Amino acid sequence: MDNMKRCPKCGQMVRQEALKCRYCGYWFNTADDTTPPNNHAEEEARRREEEVRRQQEEQRRQQEEQRRQQEEQRRRQEEARWQQEETHPSYQSERLITVMGVIKEGIGIGLKNFLSVFLACILYILTIWVPYINVGTTIGLNTLPLKLSKDTNAIISPTFIFDGHYRKYMGEFFNLIGLMSISILPALLFVFVPAIIISYGWSQALFLLLDKELSPSEAMMQSTKITYGYKSTLFWIDMVCSLVFFIIAGILMWLIGLVINNMIVTMIIMAILISVFIVIKLACGAVIYRELSKRIG
């Protein structure tokens, strides 16, 4: 064993004349000029490489943490904005919709599109018995205000209800109606008032579902947000329209009874009046959605 020596690093026995440990690569000190780089330099290089890797990893971790904090900050800012909107609506000084403003514009849009909407309703009645097609036409007719809101100066085509685009949302449509019905029906037990408030809050959900391609639950949530502060306005729009309709209908029936006194003529005139009322109400819905949807941004 005199010709063997122990490696100070790994403890293995190597030959006395060995310059480098064959087990761990440790270089033994030599007296000549051929001495390879000392072990301390190698250790220092490895240490520096490890330190660089550690710093890079720490930098990546800090960047990830910074990104997460930015996302959290954006989420909190969004929540704060909606909370501020709920407590102090930013549209108090300049309302997006007013009762008379909506009714005035709705009358103009409704009368302009009266014939198209009337024909669309006739086509719907004639094709309601056709399976699968009737689902698309039902969705199209229910989202008529959305169609009118896209270009209030244009006249729509009565055949728009047959657009295959509406059938694409068949599942979402039934899911939305189901979710709304499940929630509103129990609210009816509390003397109708909660159900009325919830109904106005979700009144824009179907339009948002098709227009913004949201999920049913997201459409209901966004509808509640954009109608916040405007539910009473929506209620009074319905009340004023209904009141005007009943006043005009009562006066016409009284005049017809005095002048003509013919039941058939009375029924025809009332049918026309009701049709005009429905079209104007749908046009008012188009104005409401066009303005309130701006709150989504």
Side-chain angles (χ1 to χ4, degrees):
M1 297 295 289
D2 292 339
N3 62 340
M4 302 294 286
K5 61 181 177 180
R6 186 179 299 276
C7 175
K9 184 175 181 180
C10 65
Q12 297 292 334
M13 300 300 294
V14 295
R15 289 183 177 276
Q16 188 68 36
E17 62 272 16
L19 300 178
K20 182 180 180 181
C21 177
R22 64 189 179 92
Y23 296 102
C24 66
Y26 179 83
W27 286 92
F28 298 98
N29 292 329
T30 57
D32 55 17
D33 295 336
T34 61
T35 303
N38 60 53
N39 295 282
H40 295 290
E42 292 182 359
E43 290 289 339
E44 182 65 18
R46 284 195 295 269
R47 189 189 66 78
R48 288 178 180 177
E49 290 177 0
E50 183 66 26
E51 181 66 18
V52 170
R53 285 195 296 269
R54 189 190 65 79
Q55 290 177 354
Q56 290 175 345
E57 183 66 26
E58 180 66 18
Q59 186 178 5
R60 284 194 296 269
R61 189 191 65 79
Q62 290 177 354
Q63 290 175 348
E64 181 66 21
E65 180 67 18
Q66 185 178 6
R67 186 190 64 80
R68 189 190 65 79
Q69 290 177 355
Q70 290 175 348
E71 295 253 344
E72 181 68 16
Q73 185 178 5
R74 282 195 295 268
R75 186 186 66 80
R76 290 178 179 177
Q77 288 175 348
E78 182 69 13
E79 290 181 355
R81 185 176 70 84
W82 279 113
Q83 289 175 359
Q84 177 70 15
E85 181 66 23
E86 290 180 354
T87 54
H88 302 286
S90 59
Y91 302 98
Q92 287 181 347
S93 58
E94 184 178 354
R95 303 283 291 178
L96 285 175
I97 59 173
T98 60
V99 175
M100 297 312 300
V102 169
I103 294 176
K104 181 180 178 180
E105 189 174 357
I107 290 174
I109 298 172
L111 294 179
K112 185 189 303 182
N113 288 275
F114 173 74
L115 183 60
S116 297
V117 176
F118 181 77
L119 292 176
C121 292
I122 297 298
L123 291 173
Y124 175 75
I125 294 172
L126 293 176
T127 58
I128 189 65
W129 56 273
V130 182
Y132 184 62
I133 299 295
N134 55 9
V135 178
T137 55
T138 300
I139 297 174
L141 203 60
N142 277 277
T143 56
L144 180 59
L146 174 60
K147 183 73 173 179
L148 293 173
S149 70
K150 293 303 181 182
D151 188 356
T152 53
N153 295 319
I155 299 177
I156 65 173
S157 170
T159 59
F160 80 94
I161 60 174
F162 297 108
D163 192 340
H165 169 77
Y166 295 114
R167 291 191 292 274
K168 186 177 74 171
Y169 296 95
M170 183 186 306
E172 289 84 353
F173 173 75
F174 287 118
N175 283 337
L176 178 63
I177 298 301
L179 288 173
M180 293 173 63
S181 300
I182 291 172
S183 301
I184 292 175
L185 287 177
L188 291 172
L189 302 176
F190 294 88
V191 201
F192 293 97
V193 175
I196 294 173
I197 295 174
I198 292 173
S199 298
Y200 280 113
W202 291 341
S203 60
Q204 310 302 305
L206 182 57
F207 309 145
L208 290 170
L209 185 142
L210 269 70
D211 187 28
K212 306 298 183 182
E213 296 188 344
L214 304 177
S215 65
S217 58
E218 181 69 16
M220 293 165 66
M221 182 181 70
Q222 291 294 337
S223 178
T224 302
K225 289 182 177 180
I226 66 176
T227 55
Y228 187 87
Y230 287 94
K231 294 185 183 69
S232 60
T233 304
L234 300 180
F235 172 79
W236 285 114
I237 289 172
D238 287 341
M239 290 297 100
V240 172
C241 287
S242 300
L243 181 62
V244 172
F245 167 75
F246 284 117
I247 291 174
I248 295 175
I251 293 174
L252 282 177
M253 290 182 66
W254 178 68
L255 291 175
I256 293 171
L258 289 178
V259 178
I260 302 176
N261 196 19
N262 188 305
M263 182 61 67
I264 296 177
V265 175
T266 302
M267 292 178 62
I268 292 174
I269 294 176
M270 286 302 300
I272 295 174
L273 184 61
I274 292 172
S275 300
V276 172
F277 170 74
I278 293 174
V279 173
I280 291 176
K281 277 290 280 95
L282 292 171
C284 288
V287 177
I288 291 169
Y289 176 74
R290 185 195 66 198
E291 297 301 321
L292 292 187
S293 61
K294 295 176 181 178
R295 302 183 81 180
I296 296 179

